[in-house]
């Protein structure tokens, strides 16, 4: 308003008529339409004018936004110029001068816009160039710094000079006379070749009034300065040069006054900028003081922290950081990659680089070489300026990791305990009715895993009808009395089999009563049957005692029988323990294969574990068969020195701290011919006997020598390897030594031994073509000697029992039968993979129907023991059709061999193979039988 008063005073002094003409001018309202209104005009301006200016990059780009109003045009120009400079990778710079006399100029200085103003701005530009403030949007500071806002009257004040671009999109709102005045001002402000942008309203201005401009794009309102326009302000004519000189001086004074006003406006703008900079500096100083305080606190604490710049150079670190990194004050400004940390964290440097580039926080855990655990965190320490630097912090979490490991170990021990104890678990929420069963619970109830949703109804449905009332009454009684639920009942499986189950559980109570029940269950069918048998046996014994009282010999016989049953129970417990361990290995490896099917290395390792577990199971079965005198010994060449060396670690771990274990093996020992697994078992049993004879400690020596025998000790004359297991224990007297190898004879306390060890060792030695001798005396220890024959030299050339994987396979059609679907599918897949045409059946009845239907097969492979129709029935049916039809019978019990051979001795090509059997072994048996059959057919 002050400028307007000064202008009015000057004009009235010169010519009152000029002021009346100026009063008729409508002052322009400014750009009220918002950013990028008339989008097509802006698009053409951007493509044809701004993009080439930014790409040239020769000198600073100067822009005048006249009658800028709320500043929308100035801000829009800043955005487009910045985008074009970035797009062209140019080094150009620009400055925008925005002027007006409108009160909206103060809002223009803030560069703040409403949602309506932002209607033409894309979401991408909003996110990139604006900050959301107070329900509106504000142009970011980096663009506001390119804009200078000042008061200026386009019609009355002199404008700028040497501008590259002038913008005035409200020109059409003026009268024709004032349009000419404004065009003259804009023409004077532009450099030669400068561009004028009027927008679509330029069509109302008319090219004829755009004096000194050539039209570039009439639709967009783009014009280029082509020539100097006639001066707008004409000097009055007069008779003397002095009058004209005074007029020129007066105009020059007015120009100086206008320039002074511009300088005042710029000074105000600079004052505002300085005020804002002072506030920013004060804020930064406060932050620096805060950071210094935090830095001092960190330096005095135990936190491990490192601060790096964007080039990974060390800027500062806490004293505790020297615990993990070999650094000192001399290492400041060195790169992180120059240090070798004392913590195993291969992802450290990549994570730091990613945090620098993305600004994201990274967290991980790492372990030192001495077993300590640390939680590592990487974070950009200047939010909003990713790449300026990162902070690395490490917090020790060793105790937490140890607690987690202990928790996992406890859970694993519980799982193993449940698995070894063959226990099933359940968890019943009485409020919601939700029930959770373990896998073993499904099996005990006769359900397939996942066959049915666990529930109280599903449980009671499988309880024997006669036991349901008692089971429910026991549940209610335990609930009412708040005691432990303990009840035995029978479960009926879908196949009609009856299983005795023993359940124990506890209720959990709150203020509203019982709400949860957790319990375990185990299958006690064997115990129940054993109890019934024991009751019957007791009844028989009582009857005999009543009938034959006083007959001592019969009483001793019955006592011996009872001792044998107890020994068998010990044996069964040991076998169950071994098989539980084997099944645990199989289950664990199967779980690994299920959860990590895509990891070939883990799958291979799990497969190896399953194969080893199967081999251990087969070894246990062979030991049982050896005890039952039904074992097939597989003689092979054994390096005794290597065997004893391999056994040393195992025996050393079992010996305890007080027993010294020594090996005394002669050089150049020849191999022996024996069953390796049986020999290992014998050595372990003999060593355990020696440990039991030395409760206070002592020495155990494993000695091996080559000796020639001439028929003494029941040996055939020849070369033998003598294996001595000698201890320094209590020894045996003559009477004990005489009975030591008798079955069931033991000097150990009840429950500590079965009396089978030495008898099984003697049977193994004699069955291997050797012998066992004992030497002992009270207080002088015991020496058990195994005599094993030296393996004949020709065994070196004996071919392997399994056919190699590349051996040729005949084309044959095989009928494979096994009621165990898993075994049947495995053998079928293997044989099919070797080129055989295999027809699989999981029932004897189904296979018998195929044989009787007339289907053609080259060979029958069948399990021996199957319900309804067994392997013998199938073999008879096959031989009824063709007496020479080849048959392979698979069985897991060696005692089946004698009745099988007796049954089919009259004729028929038959071979017995024992389970477990590998696919290679089965294939090695099939190929010669098929070839022999075809050779017989050809000769006939």
């Amino acid at each position: 308003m002050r400028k307007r008063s000064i202008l009015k005073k000057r004009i009235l002094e010169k010519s009152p008529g000029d002021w009346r003409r100026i009063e008729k001018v409508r002052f322009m309202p400014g750009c009220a339409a918002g950013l990028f209104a008339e989008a097509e005009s802006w698009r053409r301006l951007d493509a044809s004018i701004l993009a080439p200016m930014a790409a040239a990059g020769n000198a600073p780009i100067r822009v005048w936004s006249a009658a800028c109003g709320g500043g929308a045009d100035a801000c829009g120009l800043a955005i487009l110029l910045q985008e074009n400079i970035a797009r062209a990778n140019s080094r150009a710079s620009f400055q925008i001068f925005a002027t007006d006399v409108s009160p909206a100029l103060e809002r223009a200085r803030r560069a703040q816009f409403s949602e309506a103003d932002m209607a033409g701005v894309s979401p991408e530009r909003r996110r990139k160039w604006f900050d959301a403030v107070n329900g509106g949007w504000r142009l970011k500071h980096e663009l506001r710094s390119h804009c200078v806002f000042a008061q200026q009257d386009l019609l009355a004040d002199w404008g700028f000079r040497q501008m590259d671009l002038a913008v005035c999109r409200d020109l059409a709102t003026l009268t024709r006379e004032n349009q000419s005045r404004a065009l003259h001002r804009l023409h004077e402000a532009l450099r030669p070749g400068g561009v004028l942008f009027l927008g679509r309203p330029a069509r109302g201005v008319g090219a004829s009034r755009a004096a000194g401009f050539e039209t570039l794009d009439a639709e967009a309102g783009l014009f280029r300065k082509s020539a100097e326009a006639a001066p707008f302000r004409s000097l009055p004519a007069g008779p003397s040069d002095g009058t004209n000189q005074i007029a020129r001086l007066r105009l020059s004074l007015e120009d100086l006054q206008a320039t002074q006003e511009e300088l005042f406006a710029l000074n105000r703008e600079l004052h505002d900028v300085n005020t804002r900079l002072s506030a920013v500096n004060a804020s930064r100083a406060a932050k620096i003081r805060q950071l210094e305080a935090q830095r001092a606190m960190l330096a005095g604490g135990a936190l491990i922290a490192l601060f790096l710049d964007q080039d990974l150079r060390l800027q500062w670190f806490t004293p505790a950081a020297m615990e993990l990194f070999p650094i000192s004050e001399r290492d400041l400004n060195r790169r992180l990659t120059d240090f070798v940390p004392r913590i195993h964290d291969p992802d450290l440097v990549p994570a730091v680089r990613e945090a620098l580039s993305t600004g994201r926080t990274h967290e991980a855990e790492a372990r030192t070489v001495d077993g300590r655990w640390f939680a590592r965190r990487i974070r950009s320490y200047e939010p909003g300026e990713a790449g300026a630097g990162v902070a690395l912090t490490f917090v020790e979490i060793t105790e937490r990791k140890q607690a987690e490991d202990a928790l996992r170990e406890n859970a694993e021990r519980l799982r193993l305990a449940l698995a070894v104890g063959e226990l099933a678990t359940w968890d019943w929420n009485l409020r919601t009715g939700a029930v959770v069963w373990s896998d073993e619970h499904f099996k005990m109830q006769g359900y397939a895993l996942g066959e049915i949703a666990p529930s109280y109804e599903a449980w009671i449905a499988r309880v024997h009808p006669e036991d349901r009332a008692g089971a429910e009454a026991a549940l209610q009684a335990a609930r009412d009395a708040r005691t432990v639920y303990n009840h035995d009942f029978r479960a009926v499986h879908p196949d009609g089999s009856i299983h005795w189950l023993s359940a124990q559980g506890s209720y959990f109570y709150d203020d509203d009563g019982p709400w949860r029940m957790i319990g375990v269950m185990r299958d006690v069918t064997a115990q129940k049957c054993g109890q019934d048998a024991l009751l019957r046996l007791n009844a028989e014994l009582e009857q005999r005692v009543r009938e034959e009282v006083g007959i001592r010999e019969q009483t001793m016989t019955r006592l011996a029988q009872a001792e044998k049953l107890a020994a068998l129970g010990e044996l069964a417990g040991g076998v169950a323990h071994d098989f539980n361990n084997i099944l645990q290995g199989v289950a664990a490896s199967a779980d690994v294969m299920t959860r990590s099917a895509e990891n070939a290395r883990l799958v291979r390792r799990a497969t190896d574990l399953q194969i080893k577990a199967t081999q251990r199971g087969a070894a246990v079965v062979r030991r049982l068969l050896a005890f039952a005198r039904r074992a097939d010994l597989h003689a092979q060449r054994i390096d005794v020195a290597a065997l004893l060396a391999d056994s040393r670690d195992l025996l050393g771990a079992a010996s305890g701290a007080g027993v010294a274990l020594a090996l005394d093996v002669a050089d150049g020992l020849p191999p022996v011919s024996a069953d390796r697994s049986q020999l290992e078992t014998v050595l372990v049993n003999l060593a355990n006997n020696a440990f039991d004879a030395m409760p206070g400690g002592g020495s155990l020596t494993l000695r091996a020598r080559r000796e020639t025998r001439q028929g003494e000790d029941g040996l055939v004359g020849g070369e033998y390897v003598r294996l001595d297991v000698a201890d320094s224990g209590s020894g045996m007297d003559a009477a004990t030594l005489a009975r030591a190898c008798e079955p069931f004879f033991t000097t150990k306390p009840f429950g500590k031994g079965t009396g089978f060890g030495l008898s099984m060792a003697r049977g193994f030695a004699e069955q291997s073509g050797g012998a066992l001798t004992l030497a002992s005396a009270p207080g002088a220890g015991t020496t058990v000697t195994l005599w094993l024959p030296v393996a004949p030299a020709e065994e070196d050339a004996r071919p392997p029992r399994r056919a190699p994987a590349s051996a040729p396979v005949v084309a044959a059609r095989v009928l494979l039968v096994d009621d165990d679907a898993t075994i049947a599918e495995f053998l079928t897949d293997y044989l099919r993979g070797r080129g055989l045409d295999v027809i699989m059946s999981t029932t004897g009845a189904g296979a018998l129907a195929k044989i009787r239907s007339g289907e053609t097969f080259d060979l029958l492979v069948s399990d021996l023991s199957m319900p309804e129709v067994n392997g013998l029935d199938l073999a008879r049916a096959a031989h009824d059709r063709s007496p020479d039809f080849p048959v392979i019978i698979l069985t897991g019990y060696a005692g089946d061999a004698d009745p099988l051979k007796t049954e089919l001795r009259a004729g028929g090509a038959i071979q017995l193979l024992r389970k477990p059997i590998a696919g290679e072994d089965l294939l090695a048996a099939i190929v010669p039988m098929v070839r022999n059959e075809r050779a017989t057919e050809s000769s006939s």
Side-chain angles (χ1 to χ4, degrees):
M1 294 302 294
R2 181 173 175 273
K3 278 188 66 177
R4 187 173 176 85
S5 299
I6 294 172
L7 176 64
K8 179 179 179 181
K9 182 178 180 181
R10 290 206 308 262
I11 295 175
L12 285 174
E13 288 176 353
K14 292 191 301 178
S15 174
D18 287 346
W19 178 251
R20 287 192 297 273
R21 288 194 298 273
I22 292 175
E23 281 293 292
K24 296 179 181 179
V25 176
R26 294 186 294 111
F27 284 91
M28 290 176 279
C31 298
L35 278 85
F36 302 120
E38 304 170 13
E40 179 60 21
S41 298
W42 281 98
R43 187 192 66 77
R44 296 186 184 187
L45 171 69
D46 185 34
S48 61
I49 304 301
L50 299 183
M53 282 185 179
N58 297 326
I61 302 170
R62 291 164 53 84
V63 180
W64 179 25
S65 176
C68 68
D73 285 356
C75 295
L77 288 166
I79 292 172
L80 294 178
L81 283 169
Q82 187 66 36
E83 289 178 348
N84 279 292
I85 290 172
R87 192 178 303 117
N89 196 20
S90 169
R91 302 183 64 179
S93 62
F94 64 93
Q95 189 72 47
I96 299 173
F97 301 94
T99 64
D100 204 342
V101 296
S102 170
L105 188 63
E106 290 303 318
R107 193 187 73 170
R109 285 197 177 95
R110 294 193 299 271
Q112 187 168 335
F113 304 97
S114 65
E115 283 292 341
D117 296 333
M118 297 287 287
V121 182
S122 66
E124 291 77 14
R125 281 178 170 161
R126 292 193 188 198
R127 288 192 297 269
K128 187 172 183 180
W129 303 117
F130 291 88
D131 294 320
V133 292
N134 300 327
W137 300 87
R138 188 181 189 188
L139 192 69
K140 289 184 178 293
H141 179 267
E142 61 179 288
L143 289 185
R144 294 202 311 273
S145 63
H146 290 279
C147 300
V148 176
F149 296 91
Q151 293 254 352
Q152 193 242 19
D153 189 332
L154 175 61
L155 300 180
D157 297 334
W158 292 102
F160 298 91
R161 295 291 186 273
Q162 295 300 312
M163 291 288 157
D164 297 289
L165 174 65
V167 178
C168 184
R169 294 198 303 129
D170 285 334
L171 193 63
T173 62
L174 302 179
T175 63
R176 290 179 178 273
E177 180 181 358
N178 288 332
Q179 286 181 10
S180 297
R181 290 171 180 269
L183 285 172
H184 182 78
R185 294 293 192 201
L186 295 168
H187 187 276
E188 287 182 332
L190 290 171
R191 62 172 174 77
V195 177
L196 173 64
F197 177 47
L198 302 180
R200 289 178 61 84
R203 289 178 297 181
V205 175
S208 60
R209 285 185 300 277
F213 291 97
E214 60 176 307
T215 303
L216 297 178
D217 188 336
E219 289 295 323
L222 288 171
F223 305 92
R224 187 185 302 278
K225 179 176 179 178
S226 60
E228 293 296 331
F232 170 71
R233 187 189 300 268
S234 299
L235 293 176
S240 65
D241 291 338
T243 304
N244 291 335
Q245 179 111 15
I246 293 172
R248 289 192 188 96
L249 289 174
R250 183 178 299 165
L251 290 176
S252 298
L253 179 60
E254 292 173 356
D255 289 342
L256 287 174
Q257 290 174 341
T259 301
Q260 185 180 18
E261 292 293 335
E262 288 183 16
L263 290 176
F264 286 158
L266 288 175
N267 186 50
R268 286 195 299 271
E269 181 72 18
L270 289 175
H271 177 73
D272 293 343
V273 171
N274 187 51
T275 301
R276 291 195 295 271
L277 286 176
S278 298
V280 171
N281 289 334
S283 176
R284 288 189 175 182
K287 288 183 178 180
I288 290 173
R289 288 192 297 272
Q290 182 182 3
L291 289 174
E292 290 295 337
Q294 293 175 352
R295 178 172 176 173
M297 181 181 65
L298 290 175
L303 179 66
I304 298 174
L306 295 89
F307 294 84
L308 311 174
D309 65 9
Q310 58 187 359
D311 295 325
L312 303 189
R313 296 184 184 276
L314 183 63
Q315 301 301 303
W316 187 74
F317 60 90
T318 61
M322 292 185 288
E323 184 178 357
L324 293 184
F325 293 84
I327 55 178
S328 64
E329 293 292 339
R330 294 191 302 272
D331 296 315
L332 291 177
N333 213 36
R334 290 182 61 191
R335 296 181 184 274
L336 177 65
T337 52
D338 295 339
F339 310 117
V340 180
R342 301 184 182 94
I343 190 168
H344 181 67
D345 191 359
D347 297 329
L348 177 62
V349 175
V352 170
R353 295 188 189 279
E354 184 175 351
L356 282 169
S357 61
T358 64
R360 291 202 302 265
T361 299
H362 283 260
E363 295 182 353
E365 295 178 355
R367 189 177 184 180
T368 62
V369 293
D370 59 356
R372 297 166 63 195
W373 281 94
F374 287 84
R376 180 255 290 164
R377 188 178 190 188
I378 303 174
R379 182 177 180 182
S380 172
Y381 58 73
E382 287 193 17
E385 298 182 16
V390 292
L392 281 70
T393 58
F394 296 83
V395 178
E396 185 167 3
I397 55 171
T398 303
E399 292 185 0
R400 191 194 79 190
K401 296 293 289 187
Q402 290 174 346
E404 292 174 354
D405 292 342
L407 183 61
R408 281 194 295 270
E409 290 176 2
N410 289 337
E412 180 64 15
R413 280 195 290 269
L414 176 59
R415 189 185 66 79
L416 289 175
L418 292 174
V420 171
E422 296 182 339
L423 296 175
T425 62
W426 83 82
D427 189 340
W428 180 19
N429 189 315
L430 304 177
R431 303 270 170 81
T432 65
V435 180
V436 178
W437 288 349
S438 66
D439 295 350
E440 191 67 19
H441 198 291
F442 281 92
K443 179 180 177 182
M444 289 185 185
Q445 290 283 133
Y447 292 110
L449 184 62
E451 173 186 351
I452 192 172
S455 64
Y456 175 84
E457 292 74 17
W459 167 73
I460 202 66
R462 289 292 167 87
V463 177
H464 195 286
E466 297 177 1
D467 296 348
R468 287 177 186 169
E472 292 181 317
L475 279 174
Q476 188 63 41
R479 178 174 180 169
D480 295 341
R482 297 200 173 195
T483 57
V484 174
Y485 169 70
N486 192 341
H487 187 68
D488 295 352
F489 57 90
R490 290 170 294 174
V492 183
H493 285 200
D495 60 2
S497 59
I498 305 297
H499 297 260
W500 275 97
L501 304 178
S502 178
Q504 294 82 36
S506 297
Y507 285 97
F508 291 84
Y509 300 83
D510 58 16
D511 294 340
D512 297 328
W515 68 276
R516 184 183 185 189
M517 186 181 190
I518 298 177
V520 297
M521 185 169 63
R522 59 193 179 97
D523 192 323
V524 294
T525 304
Q527 292 89 322
K528 287 289 185 179
C529 294
Q531 289 174 4
D532 294 341
L534 185 60
L535 290 174
R536 290 193 298 271
L537 178 61
N538 288 338
E540 292 176 2
L541 289 175
E542 291 173 0
Q543 179 64 25
R544 291 178 183 178
V545 168
R546 285 193 296 268
E547 293 176 354
E548 303 179 13
V549 174
I551 304 177
R552 178 181 176 82
E553 188 63 28
Q554 293 183 2
T555 303
M556 292 300 295
T557 301
R558 294 190 187 98
L559 180 60
Q561 183 66 21
E563 290 176 349
K564 290 180 181 180
L565 289 175
L568 286 173
E570 290 291 331
L571 177 63
V575 171
H577 174 75
D578 287 345
F579 269 102
N580 279 332
N581 288 337
I582 293 167
L583 292 175
Q584 174 59 40
V586 173
S589 58
D591 180 60
V592 171
M593 294 172 71
T594 301
R595 291 185 292 102
S596 304
E598 71 285 353
N599 192 324
R601 183 181 65 81
L602 291 180
V603 170
R604 285 195 299 272
R605 184 178 178 187
T607 304
D608 291 340
L609 289 176
Q610 288 191 347
I611 292 173
K612 290 178 181 178
T614 305
Q615 293 170 348
R616 288 174 56 199
V620 173
V621 172
R622 286 197 297 274
R623 295 185 189 116
L624 288 175
L625 295 176
F627 169 73
R629 297 298 188 265
R630 300 299 183 101
D632 285 342
L633 297 183
H634 299 288
Q636 60 188 111
R637 294 170 64 84
I638 302 174
D639 184 348
V640 176
L643 177 67
L644 293 179
D646 292 341
S647 302
R648 180 172 186 170
D649 292 339
L650 174 63
L651 297 178
S655 63
V659 177
L661 181 63
L663 293 183
D664 183 9
V665 181
D667 295 332
L669 274 182
V672 300
S673 180
D675 188 304
R676 182 183 181 92
S677 63
Q678 292 289 352
L679 177 56
E680 291 174 343
T681 302
V682 167
L683 288 176
V684 171
N685 287 338
L686 295 179
N688 286 332
N689 287 341
F691 298 151
D692 292 339
M694 298 182 290
S699 63
L700 174 64
T701 302
L702 303 180
R703 187 182 301 109
R705 298 285 188 274
R706 180 175 184 171
E707 292 190 14
T708 302
R709 307 297 287 177
Q710 301 297 334
E712 57 268 43
D713 296 323
L715 294 171
V716 178
E719 296 292 319
Y720 294 85
V721 171
R722 172 178 177 170
L723 280 174
D724 293 336
V725 181
D727 66 66
S728 61
S730 57
M732 295 181 284
D733 56 25
T736 303
L737 186 63
R739 299 189 60 194
C741 290
E742 293 180 7
F744 301 102
F745 177 77
T746 180
T747 59
K748 299 177 183 178
F750 181 79
K752 297 294 185 181
T754 62
F756 297 148
L758 287 175
S759 63
M760 290 177 64
R762 169 172 282 180
F764 160 74
E766 293 175 352
Q767 196 171 356
S768 300
L772 180 145
T773 59
L774 289 172
S776 182
T782 300
T783 298
V784 181
T785 301
L786 290 173
W787 300 87
L788 298 176
V790 173
E794 57 268 19
E795 287 191 9
D796 292 341
R798 183 178 301 167
R801 189 165 65 90
R802 291 184 178 181
S806 59
V809 178
V810 297
R813 196 163 191 257
V814 177
L815 176 60
L816 190 146
V817 190
D818 199 309
D819 60 342
D820 190 322
T822 302
I823 296 175
E825 290 175 0
F826 166 76
L827 294 178
T828 297
D829 291 343
Y830 179 83
L831 295 179
R832 286 175 178 170
R834 297 306 307 277
L836 297 178
D837 181 12
V838 182
I839 307 302
M840 185 186 76
S841 178
T842 56
T843 63
L848 183 61
K850 293 181 183 294
I851 294 173
R852 290 177 175 174
S853 68
E855 283 193 60
T856 302
F857 302 98
D858 297 310
L859 182 135
L860 169 66
V861 178
S862 175
D863 185 27
L864 177 59
S865 300
M866 294 186 293
E868 298 180 1
V869 179
N870 59 31
L872 284 177
D873 298 329
L874 296 178
R876 293 192 195 99
H879 286 158
D880 288 342
R881 293 186 55 199
S882 174
D884 295 325
F885 187 79
V887 177
I888 294 178
I889 298 296
L890 306 177
T891 181
Y893 177 45
D896 291 332
D898 292 336
L900 177 64
K901 294 176 181 177
T902 302
E903 183 78 21
L904 300 177
R905 188 175 293 128
I910 186 168
Q911 183 174 354
L912 178 70
L913 298 178
R914 293 186 174 85
K915 295 180 179 178
I917 185 170
E920 298 97 320
D921 296 333
L922 179 57
L923 181 64
I926 289 175
V927 171
M929 293 189 73
V930 173
R931 288 175 176 167
N932 291 340
E933 181 201 16
R934 292 180 177 172
T936 302
E937 292 175 355
S938 299
S939 62
S940 61

